[in-house]
Amino acid sequence: SHPVRLRVIGEVAAGHPPAVAVTEGTAVRILTGAIVPTGADAIVPVEQTDAPSGVADRPGVVSIHRPAATGAHVRPAGGDVRSGERVMHPGELVTSARVALAAAVGHDGLVVHRRPRIAILATGDELVPAGQPLGPAGIHDSNSVALSAQCQEAGADVVCVAIARDDATDVRVKLADGIEKADVVVASGGVSVGAHDVVKEAMSAVGTLDLWRVAVQPGKPLAFGRTTSADGRPVLLFGLPGNPVSSFVTFELFVRPVLRRLAGHPDPFARPTVSARLTGPVAKSPERRAFLRVIVETDADRPDARLATLAGGQGSHILSALARADGLAIIPEGIEGLPAGSMVDVLLLERCA
């Protein structure tokens, strides 16, 4: 009701340096994003004056209806990022917000690791693509679908997916095709000791077979090798078991960390592990470290504790239990099982992480 009246001596637009200075008894119209002129230390929104909104001020007098505190509506230099401050660190994921931040501090580009390129090969005469008739002896190919999704979740690009027959030549030809397109080739099936398990032979033919079999359950018949493409690029080769749960688990344990490392992540594993109490007994092979599919819940009696319950059957073909699971309970080698109430480490999967 008792406004302060000030003489308007000019205007400052965004992108233009001020041509006037504010002195006692004067004001300058300032547009959003403009530099605060010398002599001013606060801004009053036009809505709190009698100046018409959206109309360039002409010299005259303006009435201020509300007091302004020092610094009001002023964004100081360095209010977001100070000179010399590091705004991104090596190994951080390049998100849209980080791209915006880099541009805001004047960078027109970033040096990055590109996404690893992955070729996926499912093997087996019995495999039929999902959606097609099975026939009398077929099973739907879930491995290549699952592996594609796992690769994408790990931040990799799947560049080709193929199904090969249980034939060394067919597997070798499709492996060779993937090698020319990808940084990592992941094959599932054909790495055990059966007469038609030809992936190890094919891997040896196109490169080296550096490792075969690991002491984990499920997933013992895992193979790893290396080769080079025609243009000299190093390519990694993984042969995963054909059983779908074994394929999923060995990807999680061995392939996913490699993809994250290739993508530049400083922590290639980056899955949280929590302690949980088993709600029932579990059994396993004593020679191997087991990764059992479990559902993780909060203990109703102890809100700060967790319970782990088997998600269902633990056979390496039972995908329904894997789909229900929140994590993988780790049971060490050297024992045949654990009783209910035992404490175990649980590797949390994506939706719990």
Side-chain angles (χ1 to χ4, degrees):
S1 60
H2 297 85
V4 171
R5 296 178 64 78
L6 300 175
R7 185 165 56 90
V8 179
I9 59 173
E11 176 179 292
V12 185
H16 298 273
V20 294
V22 172
T23 58
E24 184 176 357
T26 68
V28 169
R29 181 180 176 90
I30 184 166
L31 280 69
T32 301
I35 298 175
V36 177
T38 301
D41 61 7
I43 294 173
V44 178
V46 68
E47 297 88 349
Q48 297 172 10
T49 74
D50 63 353
S53 177
V55 178
D57 244 23
R58 293 173 295 277
V61 176
V62 64
S63 295
I64 310 295
H65 294 282
R66 294 185 186 180
T70 301
H73 302 287
V74 175
R75 293 178 178 174
D80 182 10
V81 178
R82 297 185 180 276
S83 178
E85 181 179 348
R86 183 186 292 273
V87 297
M88 295 178 68
H89 295 80
E92 288 184 329
L93 184 66
V94 180
T95 63
S96 55
R98 288 183 173 135
V99 168
L101 176 59
V105 297
H107 290 280
D108 63 352
L110 298 172
V111 178
V112 300
H113 291 266
R114 64 166 171 78
R115 292 174 180 266
R117 297 169 300 190
I118 315 301
I120 294 173
L121 176 63
T123 67
D125 289 349
E126 75 280 12
L127 295 182
V128 178
Q132 296 187 14
L134 283 176
I139 62 171
H140 285 131
D141 167 33
S142 62
N143 282 4
S144 66
V145 176
L147 290 171
S148 295
Q150 286 178 281
C151 286
Q152 291 166 1
E153 288 174 354
D157 289 331
V158 178
V159 295
C160 65
V161 179
I163 296 177
R165 295 179 290 108
D166 288 323
D167 174 80
T169 300
D170 191 33
V171 172
R172 188 166 58 250
V173 168
K174 289 185 168 67
L175 274 179
D177 180 61
I179 289 166
E180 297 308 313
K181 298 175 179 177
D183 305 303
V184 180
V185 179
V186 182
S188 66
V191 291
S192 192
V193 295
H196 291 176
D197 290 331
V198 297
V199 169
K200 299 196 306 295
E201 175 188 341
M203 288 174 62
S204 298
V206 299
T208 63
L209 182 62
D210 300 332
L211 178 152
W212 178 53
R213 294 198 297 191
V214 289
V216 300
Q217 177 185 353
K220 182 177 179 180
L222 177 136
F224 171 74
R226 306 168 190 265
T227 190
T228 55
S229 64
D231 59 2
R233 290 182 299 101
V235 180
L236 304 180
L237 307 174
F238 284 93
L240 308 186
N243 278 308
V245 176
S246 300
S247 175
F248 183 97
V249 171
T250 51
F251 179 96
E252 178 68 30
L253 298 178
F254 299 103
V255 184
R256 183 177 183 273
V258 169
L259 301 187
R260 287 179 56 82
R261 176 63 81 194
L262 291 175
H265 290 280
D267 180 3
F269 296 96
R271 287 283 202 221
T273 301
V274 299
S275 294
R277 189 179 306 278
L278 290 173
T279 61
V282 298
K284 57 174 281 292
S285 168
E287 295 84 15
R288 293 187 276 166
R289 183 178 303 183
F291 294 83
L292 306 181
R293 281 70 70 201
V294 295
I295 297 170
V296 181
E297 299 174 300
T298 300
D299 189 338
D301 298 326
R302 297 175 54 199
D304 60 338
R306 294 179 174 89
L307 301 175
T309 303
L310 292 180
Q314 296 297 302
S316 57
H317 64 293
I318 301 180
L319 276 172
S320 58
L322 178 63
R324 286 191 291 268
D326 297 316
L328 302 174
I330 306 171
I331 314 298
E333 53 269 52
I335 59 176
E336 294 186 351
L338 290 172
S342 300
M343 296 300 297
V344 296
D345 288 333
V346 179
L347 184 70
L348 296 180
L349 297 177
E350 191 70 36
R351 58 181 173 273
C352 280

